[in-house]
Every structure is written in C-alpha cells, then in structure tokens.
C-alpha cells in the first residue's frame, strides 16, 4: 500500500485515491486540424517510463481534488506532489 | 539432442538421474545473427523456435536479460482459452489453442497442458447477455462454447456458492471445455530446448541496452555483452516494451502495470476446473501440486517493480471467498507480481515498425500466456516474411491511428 501525500490533506492511504495516469497530456487546441497520427499520439501513446513518472492522482475519498505527483515506477517512491495549476492538465510549467 | 521417452526415463532412473544431458547450451554471443529475438519469455522462445522450424532460419539468438521464463511467463496463473468475442482475436487465440493441443508432442517436452475447462461466471442480467453473445460469436468462429445454467454449474462445481441471496448471485456461466491450464515453466523450457536443438543460441544474462539503426533500418543491438549485429530484430519483452521502443525512438500505446497472483498451501483435490469472474473479479484453479492458484487485477498505477499493493490482493481474495466460502480458511503460501504491458483495446500489437527490420510483439497485458505458441508462430512469420500473417494483420501498430481497434475488454478484462 502506498502512502500518498495529498497537497491539500497530507499523507493518506492509497485506497483513498484514484489514479489518473500520465500528467501533461493537454487536449489539442485545434482538434479539427490534427492528423490521424497526432490524434493517435494524444489518445493512445504514452511515455510509460521506467523511473520517474509525472502522473495525476485524485483524492477521491478525501478532498476530491486532482494533483500532480512525481513517482518512481521501479521503487514506487514519491519524490513530489503538488497542486495542479488552473487550466493545465498536469502541466505545471 | 537426445529425445525424452519412457526408455530415457528408465535408463536415467537406473543411473540415479546423474547422466541427464543439459537441455540447452549456454553459448557466448556471436558477433552477428540473421535474426535476434529480444526477450527470453515463452513468446520470445516460441518465436525463435518457429523461425527455425517453419521458416528455416538457422542463425538466431534469443537475448534474455535475466533467466528464461523469469518474467511473466513464470509468474502467471496459466489459464488457457480462446473464447474471445471478436473474430480477429478469437482466431488468433484459437490458432494458439490448436498449437497447445499438440505442443507436448511437438516439443518432446511435457508442458502439462490440461484441458479441464474454463468457466466465466455471470452475476448480472447484462453479464448473461454478454455471455450469450460471446458464446454465439465463438460458435460462429468454430470455437467450442456453451452457456451453462446455475443448476448445471452447481452440479459440476460442488463448492461454488450458488446461493440466490449472496450479494452477487451466480446467474450462469460460459464454458469452454477445451480451455484449461499448463505448466508455465515447462513451456519456457520446452521451447528453449526445442529451439536450441534447431541451432538457436539462447543467451541469458544479456540485457539489450540500445538498438542501433542505420538510417531507418535496424542493424543490431547494444547489449551488456557488447554489440551484436543483425538486420532483423524482434522485440518481445512484455512489460518492458516501451523501454525498448524508446531505444529505437518509437512511442507505443502501452502502459506497464503490476499484476499480482498468489497460491495457497497444497490441499487435497477440490477444484477440477478453472473458474473466472469478471464481476467480482477473481480467477482460480488448483495446480497439480494442490495449491489454489489465484490471480488479482492490475494495480492502477504504472509500475515496473514486479510487486503491487496489498489491498489489490485483498480484493481478489474477497472475491474468491465470496465464490468459494470453503477457501476462507486456506492459508496463502506465496505471493508475487509481474509487469504487464496493457494496451488500450486489451489486444496485442504484433507488428512491423517505422524502423525497417525491427518488429514488436507486445500489449498482451494480463492474458498472453494462453497465446504463447500462437504468438510465436505469427511473430516468426512476420519476421521471416517482413509481412504479417493474416492472423495478426489486424494487430498492427497502425490500428491506433486508423481507429480499427479490437475491443476485447469484455473477454479479457479479468486478468488471466
Ligand atoms: C500474475 C499474472 C497472472 C497472469 N495470468 C495469466 C493467465 O492466467 N493466462 C494468460 O493467458 N496470461 C496470464 N498472464 C499474462 C502472461 O503471463 C503474459 O502475457 C505472457 O506470459 C507474456 O509472455 P512474454 O514471453 O511476452 O513475456 P515475459 O515472460 O515477461 O518475457 C519477457 C522477457 O523479456 C526480458 N527482457 C526485458 N527487457 C529486456 C532487455 N532490455 N534485454 C533483454 N531481455 C529483456 C525479461 O527479462 C523477460 O524474461 C498473467 C500475468 C501475470 C503477471
Ligand atoms: Zn486531499
């Protein structure tokens, strides 16, 4: 069981959270002008790294807010959790 | 290679089993091969075997970073069936099932394939509609399938909880009688021994760390034992598919997740078939040693750690005890995890890539053990001919941009 540090509530058990996958996948600004390959990349392709992974979590059974985390996919250790910036799908930049 | 037979068994018994020959060689890598297979799981070894046997290639290497069968091949719950919904998937898995049916003889190695039947339980009216539909689709594809009534299930599986008042009562099941289980290690070893006897070099402790290209063509792999040249490289590394694809600058629609399983202490024979339930989410069989073999669902997060969270196995155990209250007092003996390569449509990718001579076979996720011989068979064809066989043509990488996905979440959602 992972212990996850919600930026709003602090450390809680993993069972209170739901996972939102890779962070930083922004919805295309001009969907009508995308090629099939660009759509495929947006919808299906994932970086799936072995090592640090920027990902989204939702504190579903707590404050119900989304946030970004950096977690190592081998050790599962979180190095960082941070609030989501307004308007960004996990892109804190 | 000396053949295994009742006579070799007797001969070796008399000499106290001291003179068994090694089952395969451990050669040093040569500088170049006609084809390199990356990944010494069942799929990689089967690919090498069929490349040699069916396509006449002789100069082949299988490169495995750990030991053969140490990945998902040796970590799965060994359920074999072919009752998938869509024609493309059903035919691919059925090809595999047909190969399973002759595999021990073909490999001269007992893979302990046991066609004890597989039940997929239905707990809701919608489950039962889906089961009726899938069974009908299977029959149209020439695959054995039947819908089984609760009374018949109660007769055939005496300890299953058929109470009408349980939270998720069992309303029926689909049954595939030709499905069953096999001995996972034996599958790796059997393919390894048979491939070796066709001249395939099986090289363990050899990790691929880079894929070398010349222009848009592959020319070999960098490994922890040096560069090895080849104009054909087939990658079958399950949970590590994205890592290897990254080495060639390719993005895949794959995410790696932990998938866990566990076994109980050995018990007297109590369950002579395989029972799976999508709705409560568990699957169970009993091994020949007597252990109950139980599988969980994937952990939600991406993971390469070959382990998952405890609540995931707790959930699977709760489902199994709901189905079989009698197992509530069985003690669990061992628990482990694998890294499964999950694709968006729960179907594999067996495909050419934008890099000429580089082929990927991945995305089997939670359910590729059953496909081991068939996957190797079509992948060997794809590599040898630089073109897919008609059985795997639909399973290419291009389907994610064309939109022609093959949605098997219904038949594959339970990890198995
Ligand atoms: C707990 C669990 C239960 C399952 N239950 C079932 C089931 O009941 N029925 C079913 O059909 N399927 C099941 N599966 C899925 C099934 O195990 C897999 O789909 C299948 O075994 C994949 O085989 P493979 O040969 O492709 O992969 P693997 O056996 O994982 O082989 C891949 C190999 O590649 C090697 N490798 C990785 N990176 C490199 C590198 N850089 N260089 C060299 N080698 C590398 C790995 O070490 C590994 O040995 C289950 C899986 C798990 C984890
Ligand atoms: Zn919170």
């Amino acid at each position: 069981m992972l212990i996850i540090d919600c930026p709003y509530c602090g450390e809680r058990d993993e069972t209170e959270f739901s996972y939102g996958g890779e962070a930083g996948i922004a919805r295309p600004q001009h969907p009508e002008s995308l090629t099939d390959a660009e759509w495929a990349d947006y919808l299906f392709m994932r970086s799936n790294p072995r090592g640090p992974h920027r990902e989204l979590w939702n504190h579903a059974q707590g404050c119900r807010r989304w946030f970004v985390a950096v977690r190592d996919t081998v050790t599962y250790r979180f190095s960082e959790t941070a609030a989501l910036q307004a308007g960004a799908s996990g892109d804190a930049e | 290679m000396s053949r295994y037979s009742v006579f070799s068994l007797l001969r070796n018994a008399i000499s106290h089993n001291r003179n068994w020959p090694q089952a395969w060689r451990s050669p040093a890598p040569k500088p170049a091969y006609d084809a390199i297979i990356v990944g010494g799981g069942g799929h990689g070894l089967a690919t090498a075997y069929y490349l040699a046997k069916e396509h006449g290639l002789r100069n082949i290497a299988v490169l495995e970073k750990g030991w053969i069968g140490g990945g998902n091949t040796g970590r799965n719950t060994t359920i074999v069936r072919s009752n998938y919904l869509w024609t493309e998937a059903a035919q691919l898995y059925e090809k595999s099932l047909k190969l399973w049916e002759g595999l021990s003889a073909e490999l001269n190695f007992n893979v302990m394939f046991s066609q004890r039947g597989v039940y997929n339980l239905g707990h809701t009216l919608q489950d039962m509609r889906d089961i009726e539909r899938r069974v009908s689709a299977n029959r149209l594809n020439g695959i054995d399938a039947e819908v089984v009534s609760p009374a018949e299930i109660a007769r055939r599986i005496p300890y299953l909880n058929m109470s009408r008042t349980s939270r998720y009562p069992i309303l029926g099941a689909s049954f595939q009688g030709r499905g069953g289980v096999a001995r996972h290690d034996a599958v790796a070893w059997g393919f390894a021994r048979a491939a070796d006897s066709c001249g395939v070099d099986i090289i363990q402790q050899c990790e691929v760390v880079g894929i070398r290209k010349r222009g848009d063509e592959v020319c070999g792999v960098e490994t922890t034992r040096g560069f090895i040249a080849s104009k054909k490289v087939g990658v079958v590394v399950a949970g590590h598919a994205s890592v290897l694809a990254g080495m060639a600058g390719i993005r895949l629609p794959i995410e790696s997740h932990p998938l866990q399983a566990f076994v109980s202490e050995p018990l007297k024979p109590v369950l002579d078939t395989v029972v799976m339930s999508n709705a409560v989410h568990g699957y169970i069989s009993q091994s020949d040693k007597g252990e109950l073999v139980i599988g969980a669902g994937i952990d939600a997060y991406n993971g390469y750690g070959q382990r998952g969270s405890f609540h995931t196995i707790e959930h699977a155990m709760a489902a199994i005890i709901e189905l079989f209250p009698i197992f509530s007092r069985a003690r669990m003996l061992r628990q482990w995890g694998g890294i499964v390569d999950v694709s968006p449509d729960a179907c594999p990718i067996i495909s050419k890539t934008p890099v000429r001579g580089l082929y990927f076979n991945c995305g089997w996720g939670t359910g590729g053990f059953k496909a081991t011989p068939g996957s190797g068979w079509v992948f060997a064809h794809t590599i040898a001919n630089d073109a897919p066989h008609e059985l795997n043509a639909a399973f290419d990488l291009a389907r994610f941009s064309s939109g022609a996905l093959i949605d098997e979440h219904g038949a594959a959602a339970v990890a198995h």
Side-chain angles (χ1 to χ4, degrees):
Chain A
M1 171 97 68
L2 307 176
I3 307 287
I4 303 177
D5 189 9
C6 171
Y8 306 100
C9 311
E11 291 188 347
R12 300 293 180 86
D13 282 352
E14 181 193 340
T15 46
E16 292 186 15
F17 295 82
S18 57
Y19 181 65
E22 183 175 341
I25 301 174
R27 196 178 159 75
Q29 292 288 321
H30 302 288
E32 66 286 355
S33 63
L34 250 51
T35 64
D36 288 351
E38 286 166 336
W39 268 118
D41 200 74
Y42 165 66
L43 287 173
F44 300 125
M45 304 300 160
R46 296 294 178 263
S47 50
N48 192 26
R50 188 178 198 278
H53 187 224
R54 288 192 71 229
E55 58 193 26
L56 297 170
W57 286 87
N58 180 248
H59 194 184
Q61 292 176 56
C63 64
R64 302 181 62 187
R65 284 197 270 191
W66 286 95
F67 59 92
V68 197
V70 179
R71 186 182 55 93
D72 189 298
T73 58
V74 180
T75 62
Y76 302 164
R77 192 178 298 280
F78 286 86
S79 54
E80 190 188 321
T81 54
L84 258 181
Q85 304 296 327
S89 55
D91 250 335
E93 287 84 45
Chain B
M1 179 183 79
S2 66
R3 279 186 67 78
Y4 294 155
S5 66
V6 65
F7 305 107
S8 75
L9 208 58
L10 280 175
R11 209 167 44 244
N12 283 286
I14 290 163
S15 59
H16 301 280
N17 294 311
R18 274 189 301 249
N19 301 323
W20 283 107
Q22 64 174 4
W24 57 84
R25 301 160 297 128
S26 293
K30 293 184 215 159
Y33 288 94
D34 295 340
I36 288 176
I37 305 301
V38 185
H43 289 221
L45 294 162
T47 305
Y49 171 68
Y50 290 117
L51 265 177
K53 163 108 192 310
E54 305 278 332
H55 303 282
L57 269 71
R58 276 295 171 268
N59 195 22
I60 306 170
V62 176
L63 309 181
E64 164 55 48
K65 74 170 176 177
W67 65 93
I68 57 168
N72 294 346
T73 296
R75 293 164 185 269
N76 72 87
T77 49
T78 79
I79 300 172
V80 175
R81 60 189 178 88
S82 66
N83 53 353
Y84 282 66
L85 176 65
W86 299 105
T87 298
E88 295 86 345
Q91 287 180 346
L92 180 62
Y93 289 102
E94 179 61 14
K95 167 73 191 177
S96 195
L97 184 48
K98 293 225 169 78
L99 290 169
W100 277 111
E101 286 173 330
L103 199 61
S104 291
E106 164 87 20
L107 300 178
N108 180 231
F109 202 104
N110 187 0
V111 299
M112 296 167 77
F113 181 47
S114 157
Q115 293 177 292
R116 58 186 67 178
V118 175
Y119 291 84
N120 293 76
L121 303 177
H123 302 260
T124 64
L125 288 177
Q126 187 56 45
D127 271 3
M128 289 315 298
R129 288 184 203 114
D130 290 344
I131 282 173
E132 296 267 1
R133 178 183 178 206
R134 185 161 44 75
V135 164
S136 305
N138 290 160
R139 290 182 164 202
L140 288 172
N141 274 318
I143 292 168
D144 66 310
E146 56 178 293
V147 178
V148 189
S149 69
E152 183 61 16
I153 298 174
R155 197 184 63 75
R156 294 197 207 165
I157 314 174
Y159 294 110
L160 191 59
N161 176 14
M162 297 301 295
S163 162
R164 302 289 300 175
T165 57
S166 64
R167 184 158 173 203
Y168 301 106
I170 295 165
L171 305 184
S174 71
F175 178 66
Q176 183 176 24
R178 289 161 61 237
V181 291
R183 166 112 196 265
H184 45 17
D185 297 325
V187 174
W189 299 335
F191 272 117
R193 175 167 167 274
D196 176 88
S197 76
C198 299
V200 173
D201 283 0
I202 294 163
I203 301 162
Q204 305 185 69
Q205 307 289 325
C206 179
E207 180 173 359
V208 171
V209 295
I211 294 176
R212 200 186 282 180
K213 295 189 279 185
R214 196 178 300 114
D216 64 352
E217 226 175 304
V218 74
C219 60
V221 294
E222 316 282 351
T223 78
T224 45
R225 295 172 71 172
F227 175 74
I228 309 176
S230 184
K231 282 190 158 37
K232 283 179 186 283
V233 176
V235 181
V236 216
V237 293
H240 283 84
S242 303
V243 178
L244 273 285
M247 294 174 191
I250 297 168
R251 269 162 72 74
L252 291 178
I254 298 283
E255 289 194 289
S256 302
H257 289 270
L259 178 64
Q260 307 182 71
F262 42 101
V263 294
S264 74
E265 60 194 330
L267 306 173
K268 286 275 168 64
V270 60
L271 181 63
D272 64 359
T273 185
V274 182
V275 177
M276 315 179 57
S277 166
N278 246 327
V280 299
H281 211 292
Y283 42 106
I284 182 166
S285 65
Q286 187 173 23
S287 74
D288 292 346
K289 275 191 286 182
E291 302 156 323
L292 299 172
V293 181
I294 299 170
I298 57 169
D299 281 82
Y301 47 79
N302 293 37
Y304 285 86
Q306 290 189 327
R307 63 194 195 289
S309 294
F310 184 70
H311 65 88
T312 307
I313 41 183
E314 212 173 13
H315 179 80
M317 203 60 234
I320 294 303
I321 290 170
E322 166 89 15
L323 297 175
F324 292 97
I326 189 179
F327 296 151
S328 67
R329 289 164 66 189
R331 273 166 301 211
M332 293 303 138
L333 203 64
R334 286 180 289 123
Q335 167 275 336
W336 63 90
I339 315 167
V340 296
D341 41 339
V342 176
S343 76
D345 56 359
C347 274
I349 298 163
I350 314 164
S351 182
K352 297 173 68 170
T353 68
V355 179
R356 205 141 31 103
L358 181 64
Y359 309 88
F360 265 77
N361 183 347
C362 58
W364 292 99
T366 60
F369 176 70
K370 64 176 74 65
T372 304
S375 160
W377 197 86
V378 296
F379 198 39
H381 180 103
T382 306
I383 295 171
N385 298 291
D386 192 37
H389 187 270
E390 61 179 17
L391 284 174
N392 68 309
F395 295 92
D396 62 348
L397 203 45
R399 75 178 186 270
F400 297 97
S401 30
S402 72
L405 304 193
I406 304 158
D407 181 4
E408 280 294 354
H409 285 105
V414 152
H416 43 82

